């Protein structure tokens, strides 16, 4: 896959709750979470939950199944696993969606594309990337005594 395809997204299962989504948002900074029957990538896609789905829930609703608030599979815009990044981008622009789940012939979740990630790639085309086209960062340490402590913190 080219850059833009998230191959290891955070995925939840049907037993998860909107409170779980809020925790993911707090810990990771995003809230567009695919829901699969197994709670893992490769499971059958049941739906997608976003901040818009949970933003105005009452406290008691935060502990119900995420399936009660998610956008169900039948209402999602998805793409087949053989879609190109360019075609996926076109689908996202036309549908005005922030996430595009990529599924196989049996609607198992293969990956997901985020509009935010696509925009970052356009804004920073020369960023350093690993062999899977993920953005990489570097860190520097000194040769002084505190260098080992800093090196451990970088790992």
């Amino acid at each position: 896959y080219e850059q833009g395809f998230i191959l290891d997204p955070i995925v939840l299962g049907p037993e998860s709750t909107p409170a779980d989504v809020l925790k993911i948002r707090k810990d990771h900074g995003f809230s567009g979470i695919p829901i699969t029957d197994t709670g893992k990538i490769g499971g059958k896609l049941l739906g997608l939950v976003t901040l818009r789905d949970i933003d105005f829930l009452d406290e008691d609703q935060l502990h119900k199944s995420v399936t009660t608030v998610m956008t169900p599979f039948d209402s999602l815009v998805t793409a087949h696993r053989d879609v190109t990044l360019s075609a996926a981008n076109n689908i996202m622009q036309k549908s005005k969606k922030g996430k595009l789940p990529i599924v196989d012939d049996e609607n198992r979740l293969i990956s997901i594309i985020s509009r935010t990630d696509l925009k970052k790639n356009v804004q920073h085309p020369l960023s350093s990337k690993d062999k899977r086209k993920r953005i990489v960062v570097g860190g520097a340490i000194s040769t002084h005594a505190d260098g080992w402590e800093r090196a451990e913190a970088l790992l």
Side-chain angles (χ1 to χ4, degrees):
Y1 285 99
E2 304 164 69
Q3 179 164 341
F5 291 89
I6 303 167
L7 301 175
D8 56 353
I10 294 175
V11 180
L12 294 175
E15 73 288 343
S16 300
T17 66
D20 297 326
V21 177
L22 290 175
K23 181 168 179 5
I24 290 168
R25 181 170 188 241
K26 180 182 174 203
D27 294 347
H28 301 280
F30 57 86
S31 58
I33 311 294
I35 309 301
T36 66
D37 62 346
T38 62
K40 298 178 182 175
I41 191 88
K44 184 173 176 149
L45 184 63
L46 302 176
L48 185 74
V49 65
T50 68
L51 187 59
R52 290 182 186 136
D53 297 318
I54 61 174
D55 215 13
F56 296 107
L57 295 181
D58 295 330
E59 183 67 31
D60 61 318
Q61 293 174 303
L62 292 178
H63 303 289
K64 294 184 177 184
S65 170
V66 75
T67 58
T68 63
V69 297
M70 72 181 186
T71 302
F73 179 81
D74 293 341
S75 299
L76 291 177
V77 175
T78 63
H80 189 263
R81 73 179 317 156
D82 59 4
V83 70
T84 65
L85 188 58
S86 177
N89 192 24
N90 288 338
I91 293 168
M92 291 182 76
Q93 285 178 350
K94 287 179 184 173
S95 67
K96 299 180 182 172
K97 301 293 182 186
K99 304 281 187 223
L100 180 66
I102 309 300
V103 296
D104 66 9
D105 292 330
E106 281 132 33
N107 295 328
R108 291 182 300 225
L109 182 66
I110 302 302
S111 65
I112 194 165
I113 298 176
S114 166
R115 180 192 346 244
T116 305
D117 291 345
L118 290 175
K119 286 170 62 177
K120 285 180 188 174
N121 192 40
V122 170
Q123 293 168 347
H124 307 286
L126 301 177
S127 59
S128 297
K129 299 169 185 87
D130 67 10
K131 65 182 178 182
R132 288 178 56 193
K133 306 289 186 188
R134 297 174 300 183
I135 295 174
V136 295
V137 298
I141 59 170
S142 73
T143 57
H144 297 280
D146 69 341
W148 289 110
E149 192 175 314
R150 290 182 55 134
E152 289 174 355
L154 289 172
L155 298 177

